[in-house]
Amino acid sequence: MVRQSAWGVIVAVLALATCARAPKPKAPQGPAPVATPAPAPSAPVSSPRPPVLPALVPLPALIEAGRGNGFTITPKTLIIGRSGGPEVRRVALMLSELCRRSTGVLPAVPAAALAPDAAGEGGLIELAIDPQQSALGAEGYDLTISSDGIRLAAAAPAGLFYGVQTLRQLLPYWGEYEAVMFQRPRPATIPALHIRDVPRYPWRGAMLDVARHFFSVDEVKRFVDLLALHKMNRLHLHLADDQGWRIEIKKWPALTAKGGLTEVGGGPGGFYAQAQYAELEAYAADRFITIVPEIDMPGHINAAMASYPELNCNGQAPPVFTGTDVGFSALCVDKDVTYRFIDDVLTEIAAMTKGPYFHMGGDEVKTLTPEQYRAFVERVQTIVAAHGKQMIGWDEVAATTLLPTSIVQHWRPDAAHGELGRAPHLILSPGNRAYLDMKYDRDTALGLNWAGLIPVKTAYDWDPATLVPEAPASAVLGVEAPLWTETLANMRDVEFLAMPRLAAIAELGWSPVQPRDWEQFRVRLGAQGPRWTALGINFYRAPEIPWRH
Ligand code: TNX
């Protein structure tokens, strides 16, 4: 139950709505959100507002004003993990470092458990795994900030991590600069608040196409950081396409030795050695992000076909490809070697991935008959299952017979809704809303426009629960923002198209539909400007957003 506090309490999320709207029709929701409690009946209608409204993205399910003036971090502040093992301590250390960067004070994180009533002179920041908070699920958290201290409780470590991301956005933005040297501590006061927060959807993702242009391990880590800041939990890596194969497969070494060394425009390409992929997995897992590997097949596969002649029906390897056409390549679906190849790839990828998913692509196949396509997808699905993974495919796979565990990723705005409605599970990435590679407006130099222009409001102002009316609410896992990189050569380009729309999609995945509102989102988003600048993010200063400097 959400605790009701004193009459002074306000539901700050409502106060945040600078432009209230008529309530939207009630839509079926994802996994049980935390209800925003109505004020107690005798509460005065005009409760005092907190002096500063927190500009959090994504918007928490519930924000209440707390008591007192907030909590001040001082050299005497301690951070303790009340329960839970090394993961809790790791999250506590992350928080300590965030505090240091923004205040010049590094709160101690004692390794030994403190007595339950031990309060440091400078107040405690307490992180607790609390079994009584099981209603928060694996990702929710409850955060109370008062003048005496901060208590962050969750049922599982991921919840604590998300609570720390909230605290991060409440700390001064300059904590995002890495090289700050404080001549003297600069105490920061975090406003008195109670936040109780649970994500709306379990799938909150982004996709990075490392095939059209290659991005190094460090660049992908930087992308992971963007996801973590916005409480996203899935990084889908598009690891193979016509222009490049990016993951080392020891049994088929030419995939990377030949197929890895090209990219759109003729640049050098690149690939991840298995040890590097493991490093990415670990980096993402530390931030509670699951990597979803995609090997696109039977189409978008020229890099593999150029590397191994036997994958071609005529036994001849085509030349490598550095253009941007789609749909021309397809594996030879009638040859046994094709399925041996897929099985070998699955064996190594399954061993490399901590997450339960394997994405087989399945999009834009123009050279097979519908029967060939269907038989191929169903056979690959069996191979994926035999390797203990759950299959994901782009929405073309909805035309096949899918296992109850399989997931369809909706991308074509005109995909057949009847088929999508029968999908066992759905991830929503509608091209005309969630595609980060679409241009913002006609003048945007980077990106494409086949699905239309996507200004920030278009990316934000839709409800995943009603996009595919034929799909039961229980089938919708959540949202994902794909970033295809035909036109993007480096991280500056990636960031320009991703930000701020990535934050918009993150909020769709996390925040309850009520009281989400474009007008107040715009303001909260604009308040992220200094933080993103400090992080060195090359975000698009969309003119309709009131950016703070
Ligand atoms: C369609 S989205 C594709 C990609 C392109 C993208 C460009 C999807 C499953 N296929 O191959 O990169 O459009 O926006």
Side-chain angles (χ1 to χ4, degrees), residues 101-102 168-178 180 186 527-535 548-549:
R101 289 191 185 187
S102 41
R168 175 180 181 183
Q169 291 189 6
L170 294 169
L171 282 163
Y173 72 86
W174 55 79
E176 308 293 354
Y177 287 113
E178 271 182 55
V180 166
R186 189 170 179 175
Q528 308 307 313
R531 182 171 303 277
W532 293 356
T533 301
L535 283 166
R548 279 210 232 131
H549 298 286

Side-chain angles (χ1 to χ4, degrees), residues 85 216 235 259 280 318 405 468 515 519 533:
S216 70
L235 171 64
L280 275 178
T405 47
V468 182
E519 288 299 330
T533 301

Side-chain angles (χ1 to χ4, degrees), residues 207 209 212 238 241-243 294 296 300 324-327 359 361-364 393-396 409 411-412 429 431 435 437-438 448-451 482-486:
M207 189 209 79
D209 170 10
R212 268 55 176 275
H238 185 74
D241 210 303
D242 291 318
Q243 299 87 344
E294 177 186 353
D296 205 341
H300 289 275
T324 58
D325 291 348
V326 297
H359 200 309
D363 58 313
E364 297 180 312
W394 295 106
D395 63 27
E396 286 91 332
Q409 183 164 11
W411 69 281
R412 293 171 303 173
S429 305
Y435 265 38
D437 63 316
M438 292 301 115
L448 305 173
N449 64 1
W450 66 261
L483 184 43
W484 301 97
T485 58
E486 287 95 332

